């Protein structure tokens, strides 16, 4: 019997090994195809290591960051070829997509100060491949309401995609701790502190809070606000490291990248390294372990109130996982999950995949929860007016409230990347304001295939939030509640 079992195990191990070899072979072949790596894929900036970030403070971090950007600019300009100096290359100083074209380089860490005496402090964490720009409008919202807004650039971001081949979760954790230390110092023990996170930044924010509770440290956050929180990523990210194995041989260096694309976005990478996918999974794994530890210690009651916003359909993270792996575990502490539903008007509804969006229809009908659940969607199949339907914590009766907004007729859903940006955002907005630079959100992609130098998929993905005003009002209510 034992011999038979061993034989089965050996066969299984052999099958797995062959599958891995096949994957590596396919990835090696793919690495010989497509466009070559460019300087922004090969120049790796030298950033502060995690222990140096931990030993330092906000001024030291910003000083090192300034030196980093200066050195990177010199290195990049020396390696750009004439063909790289195009109107859409963010690394060409005269291009339409140069960060300088926006009047300020929002790739860098920044602090917004209120006009009068501070009423609180907010730390805002951006997402993976993103930059502090994505937190700009919410930081201004906090500033206008008397809060100091601290927005760190997480290591590996805002520079070149190659930086994410080296920087990862250890450096991100250290940067969050450094920013929170700055917030505690500014709060002085008497002002409320809010922690705001978008996507990967949301996972980092939650891990910070859960980690302190697990260690028995005092809470340093009074309220948490999350946008498109990365609570659970797709299964591929768990095994993404295997896809990069051929990169150990220089001939197959491109296999270290899942996407090698033109860099036309001034404040977000288009190219995506394998290591970044792997690190995103490890962040969520660390977060799940921290949540489970707090549950075992029966300390979930110490988690501050959470206000989260999530699109019902999300191709980057599991929208349903935000409910099941976070909110369903919370104590009754005044938390609320707000879901942005798909457009269910008569013209669009038949085109939607029920498996992708059907769960939001039944979510409000489930047993009472310890948190408030709100779904923002169309009033009816014949009415695009947006209504917020809520079931309060512990309640069974549904409440409906008009938002004063409408679901745009040409939009069938929000997207993972849309939530932080208003429709007048200078870069991502549908009706952009400010300087007449590149306006990615206002481009209507209609025409023939294979004619653009940029990805049609990236231009058709919704880049702004039609319900941003509603979201901002809800966050403002949280601020006033302090």
């Amino acid at each position: 019997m034992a011999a038979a079992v061993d034989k089965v195990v050996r066969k299984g191990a052999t099958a797995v090994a062959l599958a891995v070899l096949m994957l590596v072979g396919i990835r090696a072949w793919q690495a010989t195809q497509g466009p070559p790596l460019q300087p922004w894929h090969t120049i790796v900036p030298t950033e502060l290591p995690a222990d140096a970030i931990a030993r330092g403070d906000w001024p030291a971090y910003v000083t090192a960051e300034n030196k980093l950007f200066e050195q990177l600019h010199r290195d990049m300009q020396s390696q750009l070829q004439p063909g790289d100096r195009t109107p859409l290359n963010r690394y060409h100083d005269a291009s339409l997509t140069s960060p300088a074209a926006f009047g300020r380089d929002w790739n860098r860490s920044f602090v917004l100060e209120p006009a009068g005496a501070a009423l609180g402090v907010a730390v805002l964490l951006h997402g993976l491949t993103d930059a502090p720009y994505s937190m700009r409008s919410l930081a201004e919202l906090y500033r206008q309401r008397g809060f100091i807004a601290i927005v760190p650039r997480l290591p590996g971001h805002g520079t070149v995609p190659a930086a994410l081949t080296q920087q990862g979760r250890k450096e991100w954790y250290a940067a969050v701790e450094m920013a929170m230390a700055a917030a505690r110092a500014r709060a002085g023990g008497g002002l409320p502190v809010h922690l705001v996170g978008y996507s990967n930044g949301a996972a980092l924010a939650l891990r910070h809070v859960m980690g302190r509770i697990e260690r028995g440290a005092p809470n340093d956050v009074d309220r948490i606000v999350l946008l498109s929180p990365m609570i659970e990523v797709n299964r591929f990210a768990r095994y993404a490291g295997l896809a990069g194995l051929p990169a150990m041989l220089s001939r197959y260096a491109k296999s270290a990248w899942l996407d090698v694309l033109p860099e036309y976005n001034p404040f977000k990478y288009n190219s995506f390294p394998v290591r970044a996918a792997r690190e995103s999974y490890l962040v969520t794994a660390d977060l799940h372990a921290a949540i489970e530890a707090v549950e075992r210690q029966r300390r979930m009651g110490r988690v501050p109130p959470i206000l989260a916003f999530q699109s019902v359909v999300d191709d980057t993270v599991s929208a349903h996982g935000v409910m099941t792996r976070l909110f369903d575990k919370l104590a009754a502490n005044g938390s609320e999950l707000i879901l942005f539903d798909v457009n269910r008007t008569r013209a669009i509804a038949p085109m939607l995949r029920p498996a992708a969006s059907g769960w939001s229809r039944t979510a409000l009908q489930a047993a009472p929860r310890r948190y408030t659940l709100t779904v923002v969607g169309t009033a009816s199949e014949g009415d695009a007016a947006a209504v917020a339907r809520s079931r309060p914590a512990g309640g069974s009766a549904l409440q409906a409230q008009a938002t004063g907004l409408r679901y745009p007729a040409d939009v069938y859903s929000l997207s993972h990347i849309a939530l932080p940006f208003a429709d007048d955002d200078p870069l991502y907005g549908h009706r952009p304001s400010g300087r007449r630079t590149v306006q990615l959100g206002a481009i209507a992609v209609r025409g023939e295939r294979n004619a653009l130098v940029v990805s049609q998929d990236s231009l058709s993905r919704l880049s702004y939030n039609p319900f941003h005003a509603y979201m901002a009002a809800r966050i403002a209510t949280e601020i006033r509640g302090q």
Side-chain angles (χ1 to χ4, degrees):
M1 181 67 178
V5 172
D6 288 342
K7 186 176 181 180
V8 171
V9 171
R10 285 196 300 272
K11 285 185 175 180
T14 300
V16 171
L18 289 173
V20 171
L21 286 174
M22 184 178 295
L23 171 64
V24 171
I26 293 172
R27 285 292 297 166
W29 174 80
Q30 289 176 335
T32 64
Q33 309 301 305
L37 296 179
Q38 300 295 334
W40 45 90
H41 300 122
T42 58
I43 297 175
V44 180
T46 301
E47 298 222 30
L48 290 176
D51 58 350
I53 298 173
R55 291 194 306 268
D57 56 13
W58 180 267
Y61 187 77
V62 171
T63 298
E65 181 180 87
N66 290 336
K67 293 179 180 178
L68 165 72
F69 274 82
E70 292 169 3
Q71 183 62 51
L72 176 63
H73 184 262
R74 288 193 293 268
D75 293 343
M76 184 63 65
Q77 297 309 307
S78 69
Q79 292 201 29
L80 286 183
Q81 300 300 311
D84 297 327
R85 301 183 186 280
T86 68
L88 284 182
N89 185 356
R90 66 178 279 184
Y91 299 110
H92 174 38
D93 289 345
S95 77
L96 295 172
T97 60
S98 168
F102 288 77
R104 176 174 181 171
D105 188 355
W106 294 100
N107 286 303
R108 305 191 186 202
S109 304
F110 66 88
V111 177
L112 298 184
E113 302 280 354
L119 303 178
V121 184
V123 173
L124 301 96
L125 307 175
H126 64 77
L128 184 64
T129 75
D130 228 315
Y133 179 86
S134 62
M135 295 287 94
R136 186 179 65 98
S137 67
L138 292 184
E140 179 61 20
L141 176 71
Y142 271 95
R143 186 199 69 79
Q144 290 177 357
R145 283 153 182 80
F147 272 56
I148 301 164
I150 299 175
V151 188
R153 180 195 62 90
L154 297 174
H157 293 81
T159 54
V160 289
L164 287 178
T165 64
Q166 298 295 325
Q167 301 295 307
R169 67 192 189 284
K170 292 181 180 179
E171 291 77 22
W172 304 337
Y173 296 163
V176 172
E177 295 295 332
M178 176 274 302
M180 289 304 301
R184 291 192 296 271
R186 297 296 302 267
L191 298 178
V193 176
H194 286 203
L195 185 51
V196 183
Y198 162 46
S199 189
N200 186 57
L204 297 175
L206 286 171
R207 183 194 170 275
H208 170 82
V209 171
M210 295 293 177
R212 288 183 68 88
I213 295 173
E214 180 186 358
R215 297 192 302 270
N219 280 11
D220 62 352
V221 174
D222 296 285
R223 290 187 182 271
I224 303 171
V225 178
L226 308 176
L227 286 69
S228 302
M230 194 182 74
I231 308 302
E232 185 175 290
V233 292
N234 63 47
R235 292 181 180 179
F236 170 77
R238 181 173 187 172
Y239 304 104
L242 296 175
L245 287 178
M248 291 186 293
L249 300 176
S250 58
R251 179 182 178 184
Y252 305 117
K254 277 202 299 182
S255 66
W257 294 84
L258 295 176
D259 291 306
V260 176
L261 299 170
E263 294 298 324
Y264 57 84
N265 191 321
F267 304 118
K268 184 178 179 65
Y269 304 148
N270 296 321
S271 301
F272 192 60
V274 168
R275 188 174 188 273
R278 175 65 177 166
E279 288 293 293
S280 70
Y281 166 74
L282 293 174
V283 168
T284 61
D286 289 349
L287 173 59
H288 296 162
I291 292 174
E292 290 168 5
V294 172
E295 282 188 297
R296 287 194 304 271
Q297 296 169 351
R298 298 184 179 180
R299 293 178 176 175
M300 290 299 286
R302 287 188 53 190
V303 178
I306 301 175
L307 175 64
F309 302 88
Q310 173 65 52
S311 174
V312 165
V313 290
D314 191 315
D315 195 46
T316 303
V317 304
S318 168
H320 193 256
V322 176
M323 177 185 294
T324 59
R325 305 210 58 169
L326 175 62
F327 273 82
D328 287 349
K329 298 176 182 291
L330 296 176
N333 65 354
S335 293
E336 182 175 1
L337 172 59
I338 298 177
L339 300 173
F340 293 111
D341 202 5
V342 295
N343 187 345
R344 298 191 185 277
T345 53
R346 189 173 294 109
I348 294 181
M351 301 181 187
L352 298 170
R353 294 178 180 175
S357 59
W359 67 276
S360 65
R361 283 188 152 179
T362 60
L364 286 172
Q365 309 305 321
R369 297 178 169 88
R370 292 186 294 274
Y371 56 92
T372 297
L373 178 65
T374 298
V375 177
V376 178
T378 50
S380 67
E381 290 186 356
D383 188 354
V387 175
R389 300 177 176 89
S390 299
R391 172 174 281 186
S396 57
L398 291 180
Q399 301 173 357
Q401 181 180 11
T403 65
L405 303 170
R406 297 182 65 81
Y407 221 122
D410 59 342
V411 173
Y412 61 85
S413 79
L414 272 66
S415 72
H416 179 79
I417 62 174
L419 268 63
F421 306 106
D423 64 356
D424 65 347
D425 183 88
L427 178 61
Y428 299 116
H430 181 58
R431 292 184 291 273
S433 61
R435 293 174 177 238
R436 299 296 295 180
T437 57
V438 64
Q439 299 168 338
L440 299 177
I443 299 174
V445 184
R446 293 182 182 273
E448 186 53 278
R449 294 173 295 180
N450 302 319
L452 303 177
V453 297
V454 301
S455 165
Q456 286 178 279
D457 287 343
S458 65
L459 292 178
S460 62
R461 194 180 190 189
L462 189 69
S463 61
Y464 74 98
N465 183 356
F467 309 117
H468 188 276
Y470 170 83
M471 184 181 74
R474 293 303 313 275
I475 295 174
T477 300
E478 294 292 302
I479 298 172
R480 289 195 298 271
Q482 294 297 323

